[in-house]
Amino acid sequence: MSALTDVSKIDSDLEEAKVQGHTIAFCDGSFEVVHKGHIQLFEKARAVADVVVIAVASDEYIATAKGHIPKYSIEQRLARAMETGLADFVFAKPLLTQDEYIQLCKRIQPNYFVTGEDETLEDRKKEAEIVRCEVVTIKNIDSSQNYL
Protein backbone atom coordinates (compact mmCIF):
# COMPACT_ATOMS: atom_id res chain seq x y z
CA MET A 1 0.00 0.00 0.00
CA SER A 2 1.33 3.41 -0.95
CA ALA A 3 2.02 6.05 1.65
CA LEU A 4 2.03 9.73 0.83
CA THR A 5 5.03 11.29 2.51
CA ASP A 6 6.58 14.70 2.81
CA VAL A 7 9.88 15.23 1.00
CA SER A 8 11.40 16.61 4.21
CA LYS A 9 10.72 13.28 5.97
CA ILE A 10 11.60 10.82 3.21
CA ASP A 11 14.90 9.74 4.77
CA SER A 12 13.31 9.03 8.15
CA ASP A 13 10.40 7.24 6.45
CA LEU A 14 12.90 4.96 4.69
CA GLU A 15 15.04 4.33 7.77
CA GLU A 16 13.39 1.04 8.74
CA ALA A 17 13.74 -0.35 5.24
CA LYS A 18 17.42 0.61 5.18
CA VAL A 19 18.07 -0.96 8.60
CA GLN A 20 16.43 -4.18 7.42
CA GLY A 21 18.67 -4.23 4.34
CA HIS A 22 15.85 -3.75 1.85
CA THR A 23 16.73 -2.50 -1.62
CA ILE A 24 15.19 0.76 -2.81
CA ALA A 25 14.12 1.75 -6.32
CA PHE A 26 13.52 5.40 -7.14
CA CYS A 27 11.30 6.67 -9.96
CA ASP A 28 11.14 10.37 -10.65
CA GLY A 29 8.95 12.19 -13.15
CA SER A 30 6.11 14.57 -13.82
CA PHE A 31 3.57 11.78 -14.33
CA GLU A 32 1.23 14.33 -15.86
CA VAL A 33 -1.01 11.54 -17.09
CA VAL A 34 -0.30 8.12 -15.63
CA HIS A 35 -0.17 5.90 -18.71
CA LYS A 36 0.73 2.32 -19.52
CA GLY A 37 4.42 3.23 -19.79
CA HIS A 38 4.44 4.63 -16.26
CA ILE A 39 2.86 1.42 -15.02
CA GLN A 40 5.65 -0.51 -16.80
CA LEU A 41 8.18 1.73 -15.05
CA PHE A 42 6.62 1.19 -11.62
CA GLU A 43 6.33 -2.56 -12.21
CA LYS A 44 10.01 -2.74 -13.14
CA ALA A 45 10.90 -0.83 -9.98
CA ARG A 46 8.81 -3.28 -7.96
CA ALA A 47 10.54 -6.21 -9.67
CA VAL A 48 14.10 -5.03 -8.90
CA ALA A 49 13.67 -3.69 -5.36
CA ASP A 50 11.92 -4.32 -2.08
CA VAL A 51 10.81 -0.69 -1.65
CA VAL A 52 9.60 1.64 -4.41
CA VAL A 53 9.78 5.42 -4.00
CA ILE A 54 8.07 7.68 -6.54
CA ALA A 55 8.77 11.41 -6.75
CA VAL A 56 6.09 13.36 -8.60
CA ALA A 57 7.26 16.73 -9.93
CA SER A 58 5.46 19.71 -8.43
CA ASP A 59 3.35 22.06 -10.52
CA GLU A 60 6.09 24.70 -10.11
CA TYR A 61 8.72 22.26 -11.37
CA ILE A 62 6.67 21.41 -14.49
CA ALA A 63 5.91 25.06 -15.21
CA THR A 64 9.60 25.94 -14.97
CA ALA A 65 11.20 22.86 -16.56
CA LYS A 66 8.60 22.12 -19.24
CA GLY A 67 7.12 25.56 -19.76
CA HIS A 68 3.46 24.70 -19.22
CA ILE A 69 0.91 24.28 -16.48
CA PRO A 70 0.16 20.60 -15.88
CA LYS A 71 -3.30 19.36 -16.83
CA TYR A 72 -3.71 17.72 -13.42
CA SER A 73 -2.75 19.26 -10.08
CA ILE A 74 0.03 17.83 -7.94
CA GLU A 75 -2.59 16.42 -5.59
CA GLN A 76 -4.30 14.57 -8.46
CA ARG A 77 -0.99 13.26 -9.82
CA LEU A 78 0.14 12.08 -6.37
CA ALA A 79 -3.18 10.30 -5.90
CA ARG A 80 -2.87 8.58 -9.29
CA ALA A 81 0.66 7.38 -8.53
CA MET A 82 -0.54 6.01 -5.20
CA GLU A 83 -3.60 4.38 -6.75
CA THR A 84 -1.39 2.13 -8.85
CA GLY A 85 -0.53 0.25 -5.66
CA LEU A 86 3.03 -0.21 -6.93
CA ALA A 87 4.79 2.32 -4.70
CA ASP A 88 5.63 2.19 -1.04
CA PHE A 89 6.25 5.93 -0.78
CA VAL A 90 5.07 8.77 -3.00
CA PHE A 91 6.01 12.41 -2.53
CA ALA A 92 5.84 15.76 -4.32
CA LYS A 93 9.25 16.81 -5.60
CA PRO A 94 9.67 20.57 -5.36
CA LEU A 95 11.59 22.69 -7.83
CA LEU A 96 15.22 21.89 -6.96
CA THR A 97 18.63 22.91 -8.18
CA GLN A 98 20.81 20.08 -9.45
CA ASP A 99 22.79 20.09 -6.19
CA GLU A 100 19.58 19.97 -4.14
CA TYR A 101 18.35 17.07 -6.25
CA ILE A 102 21.57 15.14 -5.66
CA GLN A 103 21.22 15.78 -1.92
CA LEU A 104 17.65 14.46 -2.06
CA CYS A 105 18.85 11.32 -3.84
CA LYS A 106 21.58 10.83 -1.25
CA ARG A 107 18.95 11.02 1.48
CA ILE A 108 16.84 8.38 -0.26
CA GLN A 109 19.92 6.21 -0.92
CA PRO A 110 18.35 4.22 -3.74
CA ASN A 111 19.95 1.06 -5.02
CA TYR A 112 18.30 1.71 -8.38
CA PHE A 113 17.11 4.64 -10.46
CA VAL A 114 14.37 3.22 -12.67
CA THR A 115 13.77 5.29 -15.79
CA GLY A 116 12.73 5.17 -19.41
CA GLU A 117 15.17 5.58 -22.24
CA ASP A 118 14.25 9.21 -22.80
CA GLU A 119 15.84 12.64 -22.60
CA THR A 120 16.56 12.20 -18.88
CA LEU A 121 18.60 8.99 -19.23
CA GLU A 122 22.02 10.62 -19.49
CA ASP A 123 21.26 12.82 -16.47
CA ARG A 124 20.16 9.75 -14.50
CA LYS A 125 23.40 7.97 -15.34
CA LYS A 126 25.46 10.92 -14.05
CA GLU A 127 23.33 11.19 -10.92
CA ALA A 128 23.56 7.44 -10.30
CA GLU A 129 27.32 7.64 -10.43
CA ILE A 130 27.33 10.37 -7.77
CA VAL A 131 24.74 8.62 -5.59
CA ARG A 132 26.36 5.22 -6.19
CA CYS A 133 23.37 3.34 -7.48
CA GLU A 134 22.46 1.43 -10.61
CA VAL A 135 20.32 2.73 -13.47
CA VAL A 136 17.62 0.33 -14.65
CA THR A 137 15.95 1.34 -17.90
CA ILE A 138 12.72 0.41 -19.58
CA LYS A 139 12.91 0.22 -23.37
CA ASN A 140 9.98 1.01 -25.63
CA ILE A 141 7.72 2.52 -23.01
CA ASP A 142 4.11 2.53 -24.21
CA SER A 143 2.63 5.96 -23.56
CA SER A 144 -0.39 5.38 -25.80
CA GLN A 145 -2.96 4.45 -23.16
CA ASN A 146 -3.93 6.38 -20.08
CA TYR A 147 -4.15 4.19 -17.03
CA LEU A 148 -5.89 6.46 -14.59
Side-chain angles (χ1 to χ4, degrees):
M1 180 163 153
S2 299
L4 182 61
T5 190
D6 185 283
V7 67
S8 66
K9 298 188 305 182
I10 190 64
D11 43 356
S12 61
D13 287 345
L14 289 170
E15 190 59 35
E16 183 178 343
K18 293 173 190 175
V19 167
Q20 293 179 359
H22 293 302
T23 55
I24 299 170
F26 182 45
C27 302
D28 176 15
S30 59
F31 308 116
E32 292 187 70
V33 176
V34 176
H35 54 66
K36 188 175 179 180
H38 293 137
I39 300 305
Q40 291 173 310
L41 189 73
F42 302 158
E43 288 173 340
K44 183 66 167 187
R46 176 60 59 209
V48 300
D50 303 311
V51 176
V52 176
V53 178
I54 298 175
V56 180
S58 68
D59 296 343
E60 179 186 19
Y61 177 92
I62 292 172
T64 302
K66 295 187 173 190
H68 67 271
I69 303 299
K71 180 178 180 180
Y72 298 103
S73 71
I74 184 62
E75 293 82 8
Q76 291 170 307
R77 291 180 290 117
L78 288 165
R80 286 188 173 97
M82 288 175 36
E83 287 167 5
T84 67
L86 294 166
D88 297 290
F89 296 98
V90 178
F91 67 91
K93 182 184 80 174
L95 182 61
L96 301 170
T97 66
Q98 183 63 23
D99 288 341
E100 290 169 330
Y101 181 73
I102 293 297
Q103 289 308 309
L104 171 63
C105 293
K106 285 181 177 180
R107 288 175 44 216
I108 294 169
Q109 297 177 336
N111 301 87
Y112 308 98
F113 276 134
V114 183
T115 187
E117 289 189 345
D118 60 14
E119 69 279 356
T120 65
L121 181 56
E122 289 307 311
D123 289 338
R124 291 291 168 263
K125 287 180 179 178
K126 291 174 190 172
E127 293 156 358
E129 189 174 317
I130 295 167
V131 179
R132 298 183 181 165
C133 72
E134 183 179 331
V135 176
V136 176
T137 59
I138 304 292
K139 295 180 183 184
N140 304 318
I141 285 185
D142 182 355
S143 60
S144 63
Q145 295 179 317
N146 291 349
Y147 178 72
L148 299 171

CSV table of all heavy atoms in Angstrom, one decimal, residues 50-87:
chain,number,residue,atom,x,y,z
A,50,ASP,N,12.9,-4.0,-3.1
A,50,ASP,CA,11.9,-4.3,-2.1
A,50,ASP,C,11.0,-3.1,-1.8
A,50,ASP,O,9.8,-3.3,-1.4
A,50,ASP,CB,12.7,-4.7,-0.8
A,50,ASP,CG,13.6,-5.8,-0.9
A,50,ASP,OD1,13.2,-6.9,-1.5
A,50,ASP,OD2,14.8,-5.7,-0.5
A,51,VAL,N,11.5,-1.9,-2.0
A,51,VAL,CA,10.8,-0.7,-1.6
A,51,VAL,C,10.9,0.2,-2.9
A,51,VAL,O,11.9,0.4,-3.5
A,51,VAL,CB,11.4,0.0,-0.4
A,51,VAL,CG1,10.7,1.4,-0.2
A,51,VAL,CG2,11.4,-0.9,0.8
A,52,VAL,N,9.7,0.7,-3.2
A,52,VAL,CA,9.6,1.6,-4.4
A,52,VAL,C,9.2,3.0,-3.9
A,52,VAL,O,8.2,3.2,-3.2
A,52,VAL,CB,8.6,1.1,-5.4
A,52,VAL,CG1,8.4,2.1,-6.6
A,52,VAL,CG2,9.0,-0.2,-6.0
A,53,VAL,N,10.0,4.0,-4.3
A,53,VAL,CA,9.8,5.4,-4.0
A,53,VAL,C,9.5,6.2,-5.3
A,53,VAL,O,10.3,6.1,-6.2
A,53,VAL,CB,11.0,6.0,-3.3
A,53,VAL,CG1,10.8,7.5,-3.0
A,53,VAL,CG2,11.3,5.3,-2.0
A,54,ILE,N,8.4,6.9,-5.3
A,54,ILE,CA,8.1,7.7,-6.5
A,54,ILE,C,8.0,9.2,-6.2
A,54,ILE,O,7.3,9.6,-5.3
A,54,ILE,CB,6.7,7.3,-7.1
A,54,ILE,CG1,6.8,5.8,-7.6
A,54,ILE,CG2,6.3,8.2,-8.3
A,54,ILE,CD1,5.4,5.3,-8.1
A,55,ALA,N,8.8,10.0,-6.9
A,55,ALA,CA,8.8,11.4,-6.7
A,55,ALA,C,8.0,12.0,-7.9
A,55,ALA,O,8.3,11.7,-9.1
A,55,ALA,CB,10.2,12.0,-6.8
A,56,VAL,N,7.0,12.7,-7.6
A,56,VAL,CA,6.1,13.4,-8.6
A,56,VAL,C,6.4,14.8,-8.6
A,56,VAL,O,6.4,15.5,-7.6
A,56,VAL,CB,4.6,13.2,-8.3
A,56,VAL,CG1,3.7,13.8,-9.3
A,56,VAL,CG2,4.3,11.7,-8.2
A,57,ALA,N,6.8,15.3,-9.8
A,57,ALA,CA,7.3,16.7,-9.9
A,57,ALA,C,6.1,17.7,-9.6
A,57,ALA,O,5.0,17.5,-10.0
A,57,ALA,CB,7.7,17.0,-11.3
A,58,SER,N,6.4,18.7,-8.8
A,58,SER,CA,5.5,19.7,-8.4
A,58,SER,C,5.0,20.5,-9.6
A,58,SER,O,5.6,20.5,-10.7
A,58,SER,CB,6.1,20.7,-7.4
A,58,SER,OG,7.1,21.4,-8.0
A,59,ASP,N,3.9,21.2,-9.5
A,59,ASP,CA,3.4,22.1,-10.5
A,59,ASP,C,4.4,23.1,-10.9
A,59,ASP,O,4.6,23.4,-12.1
A,59,ASP,CB,2.1,22.7,-10.1
A,59,ASP,CG,0.9,21.8,-9.8
A,59,ASP,OD1,1.0,20.6,-10.3
A,59,ASP,OD2,0.0,22.2,-9.1
A,60,GLU,N,5.1,23.7,-9.9
A,60,GLU,CA,6.1,24.7,-10.1
A,60,GLU,C,7.2,24.1,-10.9
A,60,GLU,O,7.8,24.8,-11.8
A,60,GLU,CB,6.6,25.2,-8.8
A,60,GLU,CG,7.7,26.3,-8.9
A,60,GLU,CD,8.3,26.7,-7.6
A,60,GLU,OE1,8.2,25.9,-6.6
A,60,GLU,OE2,8.9,27.7,-7.6
A,61,TYR,N,7.6,22.9,-10.6
A,61,TYR,CA,8.7,22.3,-11.4
A,61,TYR,C,8.3,22.1,-12.8
A,61,TYR,O,9.1,22.5,-13.7
A,61,TYR,CB,9.0,20.9,-10.8
A,61,TYR,CG,10.1,20.2,-11.6
A,61,TYR,CD1,11.4,20.3,-11.2
A,61,TYR,CD2,9.8,19.4,-12.7
A,61,TYR,CE1,12.4,19.6,-11.9
A,61,TYR,CE2,10.7,18.7,-13.4
A,61,TYR,CZ,12.1,18.9,-13.0
A,61,TYR,OH,13.0,18.2,-13.8
A,62,ILE,N,7.1,21.6,-13.1
A,62,ILE,CA,6.7,21.4,-14.5
A,62,ILE,C,6.6,22.7,-15.2
A,62,ILE,O,7.0,22.9,-16.4
A,62,ILE,CB,5.3,20.7,-14.5
A,62,ILE,CG1,5.5,19.2,-14.0
A,62,ILE,CG2,4.7,20.7,-15.9
A,62,ILE,CD1,4.3,18.4,-13.8
A,63,ALA,N,6.0,23.8,-14.6
A,63,ALA,CA,5.9,25.1,-15.2
A,63,ALA,C,7.3,25.6,-15.6
A,63,ALA,O,7.5,26.2,-16.7
A,63,ALA,CB,5.2,26.0,-14.3
A,64,THR,N,8.3,25.4,-14.7
A,64,THR,CA,9.6,25.9,-15.0
A,64,THR,C,10.4,25.1,-16.0
A,64,THR,O,10.9,25.6,-16.9
A,64,THR,CB,10.4,26.0,-13.6
A,64,THR,OG1,9.7,26.9,-12.8
A,64,THR,CG2,11.8,26.6,-13.9
A,65,ALA,N,10.4,23.8,-15.7
A,65,ALA,CA,11.2,22.9,-16.6
A,65,ALA,C,10.6,22.6,-17.9
A,65,ALA,O,11.3,22.4,-18.9
A,65,ALA,CB,11.4,21.6,-15.8
A,66,LYS,N,9.3,22.5,-18.0
A,66,LYS,CA,8.6,22.1,-19.2
A,66,LYS,C,7.9,23.3,-19.9
A,66,LYS,O,7.4,23.2,-21.0
A,66,LYS,CB,7.6,21.0,-19.0
A,66,LYS,CG,8.3,19.7,-18.6
A,66,LYS,CD,7.4,18.5,-18.5
A,66,LYS,CE,8.1,17.2,-18.3
A,66,LYS,NZ,7.2,16.1,-18.5
A,67,GLY,N,7.7,24.4,-19.2
A,67,GLY,CA,7.1,25.6,-19.8
A,67,GLY,C,5.6,25.5,-19.9
A,67,GLY,O,5.1,26.3,-20.7
A,68,HIS,N,4.9,24.7,-19.2
A,68,HIS,CA,3.5,24.7,-19.2
A,68,HIS,C,2.9,24.3,-17.9
A,68,HIS,O,3.6,23.8,-17.0
A,68,HIS,CB,2.9,23.8,-20.3
A,68,HIS,CG,3.2,22.3,-20.0
A,68,HIS,ND1,4.3,21.7,-20.4
A,68,HIS,CD2,2.4,21.4,-19.4
A,68,HIS,CE1,4.3,20.4,-20.0
A,68,HIS,NE2,3.1,20.2,-19.4
A,69,ILE,N,1.6,24.6,-17.7
A,69,ILE,CA,0.9,24.3,-16.5
A,69,ILE,C,0.4,22.9,-16.7
A,69,ILE,O,-0.2,22.5,-17.7
A,69,ILE,CB,-0.3,25.2,-16.2
A,69,ILE,CG1,0.2,26.7,-16.2
A,69,ILE,CG2,-1.1,24.8,-15.0
A,69,ILE,CD1,1.1,27.0,-15.1
A,70,PRO,N,0.6,22.0,-15.7
A,70,PRO,CA,0.2,20.6,-15.9
A,70,PRO,C,-1.4,20.5,-15.9
A,70,PRO,O,-2.1,21.3,-15.3
A,70,PRO,CB,0.7,19.9,-14.7
A,70,PRO,CG,1.1,20.9,-13.7
A,70,PRO,CD,1.3,22.2,-14.4
A,71,LYS,N,-1.9,19.6,-16.7
A,71,LYS,CA,-3.3,19.4,-16.8
A,71,LYS,C,-3.9,19.0,-15.5
A,71,LYS,O,-5.0,19.4,-15.2
A,71,LYS,CB,-3.6,18.3,-17.9
A,71,LYS,CG,-5.0,18.0,-18.1
A,71,LYS,CD,-5.2,16.9,-19.2
A,71,LYS,CE,-6.7,16.6,-19.4
A,71,LYS,NZ,-6.8,15.6,-20.5
A,72,TYR,N,-3.2,18.2,-14.7
A,72,TYR,CA,-3.7,17.7,-13.4
A,72,TYR,C,-2.9,18.3,-12.3
A,72,TYR,O,-1.6,18.4,-12.5
A,72,TYR,CB,-3.7,16.2,-13.3
A,72,TYR,CG,-4.6,15.5,-14.3
A,72,TYR,CD1,-4.1,14.9,-15.5
A,72,TYR,CD2,-6.0,15.5,-14.2
A,72,TYR,CE1,-4.9,14.3,-16.4
A,72,TYR,CE2,-6.8,14.9,-15.1
A,72,TYR,CZ,-6.2,14.3,-16.2
A,72,TYR,OH,-7.0,13.8,-17.2
A,73,SER,N,-3.5,18.7,-11.2
A,73,SER,CA,-2.7,19.3,-10.1
A,73,SER,C,-1.8,18.2,-9.4
A,73,SER,O,-1.9,17.0,-9.7
A,73,SER,CB,-3.7,19.7,-9.0
A,73,SER,OG,-4.3,18.6,-8.4
A,74,ILE,N,-0.9,18.7,-8.6
A,74,ILE,CA,0.0,17.8,-7.9
A,74,ILE,C,-0.7,16.9,-7.1
A,74,ILE,O,-0.4,15.7,-7.0
A,74,ILE,CB,1.1,18.6,-7.1
A,74,ILE,CG1,2.1,17.7,-6.5
A,74,ILE,CG2,0.5,19.5,-6.1
A,74,ILE,CD1,2.9,16.8,-7.4
A,75,GLU,N,-1.8,17.3,-6.4
A,75,GLU,CA,-2.6,16.4,-5.6
A,75,GLU,C,-3.2,15.3,-6.4
A,75,GLU,O,-3.2,14.1,-6.0
A,75,GLU,CB,-3.7,17.2,-4.9
A,75,GLU,CG,-3.2,18.2,-3.8
A,75,GLU,CD,-2.7,19.5,-4.4
A,75,GLU,OE1,-2.9,19.8,-5.6
A,75,GLU,OE2,-2.1,20.3,-3.7
A,76,GLN,N,-3.7,15.6,-7.6
A,76,GLN,CA,-4.3,14.6,-8.5
A,76,GLN,C,-3.2,13.6,-9.0
A,76,GLN,O,-3.4,12.4,-9.0
A,76,GLN,CB,-5.0,15.2,-9.7
A,76,GLN,CG,-6.2,16.0,-9.3
A,76,GLN,CD,-6.8,16.8,-10.4
A,76,GLN,OE1,-6.0,17.6,-11.0
A,76,GLN,NE2,-8.1,16.6,-10.7
A,77,ARG,N,-2.1,14.1,-9.3
A,77,ARG,CA,-1.0,13.3,-9.8
A,77,ARG,C,-0.4,12.4,-8.7
A,77,ARG,O,-0.1,11.2,-8.9
A,77,ARG,CB,0.1,14.1,-10.5
A,77,ARG,CG,-0.5,14.7,-11.8
A,77,ARG,CD,0.5,15.6,-12.6
A,77,ARG,NE,0.8,16.8,-11.9
A,77,ARG,CZ,2.0,17.2,-11.4
A,77,ARG,NH1,3.0,16.4,-11.6
A,77,ARG,NH2,2.1,18.3,-10.8
A,78,LEU,N,-0.3,12.9,-7.5
A,78,LEU,CA,0.1,12.1,-6.4
A,78,LEU,C,-0.9,11.0,-6.1
A,78,LEU,O,-0.5,9.8,-5.9
A,78,LEU,CB,0.3,12.9,-5.1
A,78,LEU,CG,1.5,13.9,-5.1
A,78,LEU,CD1,1.3,14.9,-3.9
A,78,LEU,CD2,2.8,13.1,-4.9
A,79,ALA,N,-2.1,11.3,-6.1
A,79,ALA,CA,-3.2,10.3,-5.9
A,79,ALA,C,-3.1,9.2,-7.0
A,79,ALA,O,-3.2,8.0,-6.7
A,79,ALA,CB,-4.6,11.0,-5.9
A,80,ARG,N,-2.9,9.6,-8.2
A,80,ARG,CA,-2.9,8.6,-9.3
A,80,ARG,C,-1.7,7.7,-9.1
A,80,ARG,O,-1.8,6.5,-9.4
A,80,ARG,CB,-2.9,9.3,-10.6
A,80,ARG,CG,-4.2,9.8,-11.0
A,80,ARG,CD,-4.3,10.3,-12.4
A,80,ARG,NE,-5.7,10.7,-12.7
A,80,ARG,CZ,-6.2,11.9,-12.6
A,80,ARG,NH1,-5.4,12.9,-12.2
A,80,ARG,NH2,-7.5,12.1,-12.9
A,81,ALA,N,-0.5,8.2,-8.7
A,81,ALA,CA,0.7,7.4,-8.5
A,81,ALA,C,0.4,6.4,-7.4
A,81,ALA,O,0.8,5.2,-7.4
A,81,ALA,CB,1.9,8.3,-8.3
A,82,MET,N,-0.2,6.9,-6.3
A,82,MET,CA,-0.5,6.0,-5.2
A,82,MET,C,-1.6,4.9,-5.6
A,82,MET,O,-1.5,3.8,-5.1
A,82,MET,CB,-1.0,6.9,-4.0
A,82,MET,CG,0.1,7.7,-3.4
A,82,MET,SD,-0.4,8.8,-2.1
A,82,MET,CE,-1.7,8.0,-1.2
A,83,GLU,N,-2.5,5.3,-6.4
A,83,GLU,CA,-3.6,4.4,-6.7
A,83,GLU,C,-3.1,3.2,-7.5
A,83,GLU,O,-3.8,2.2,-7.6
A,83,GLU,CB,-4.7,5.1,-7.6
A,83,GLU,CG,-5.5,6.0,-6.7
A,83,GLU,CD,-6.4,7.0,-7.5
A,83,GLU,OE1,-6.4,6.8,-8.8
A,83,GLU,OE2,-7.1,7.8,-6.9
A,84,THR,N,-1.9,3.3,-8.1
A,84,THR,CA,-1.4,2.1,-8.9
A,84,THR,C,-1.1,1.0,-7.9
A,84,THR,O,-1.0,-0.2,-8.3
A,84,THR,CB,-0.1,2.5,-9.6
A,84,THR,OG1,0.9,2.8,-8.7
A,84,THR,CG2,-0.3,3.6,-10.6
A,85,GLY,N,-0.9,1.3,-6.6
A,85,GLY,CA,-0.5,0.3,-5.7
A,85,GLY,C,0.9,-0.3,-5.8
A,85,GLY,O,1.2,-1.3,-5.2
A,86,LEU,N,1.7,0.3,-6.6
A,86,LEU,CA,3.0,-0.2,-6.9
A,86,LEU,C,4.1,0.5,-6.2
A,86,LEU,O,5.3,0.1,-6.2
A,86,LEU,CB,3.3,-0.1,-8.4
A,86,LEU,CG,2.4,-1.1,-9.3
A,86,LEU,CD1,2.5,-0.7,-10.7
A,86,LEU,CD2,2.8,-2.5,-9.0
A,87,ALA,N,3.8,1.5,-5.4
A,87,ALA,CA,4.8,2.3,-4.7
A,87,ALA,C,4.6,2.2,-3.2
A,87,ALA,O,3.5,2.0,-2.7
A,87,ALA,CB,4.7,3.8,-5.1
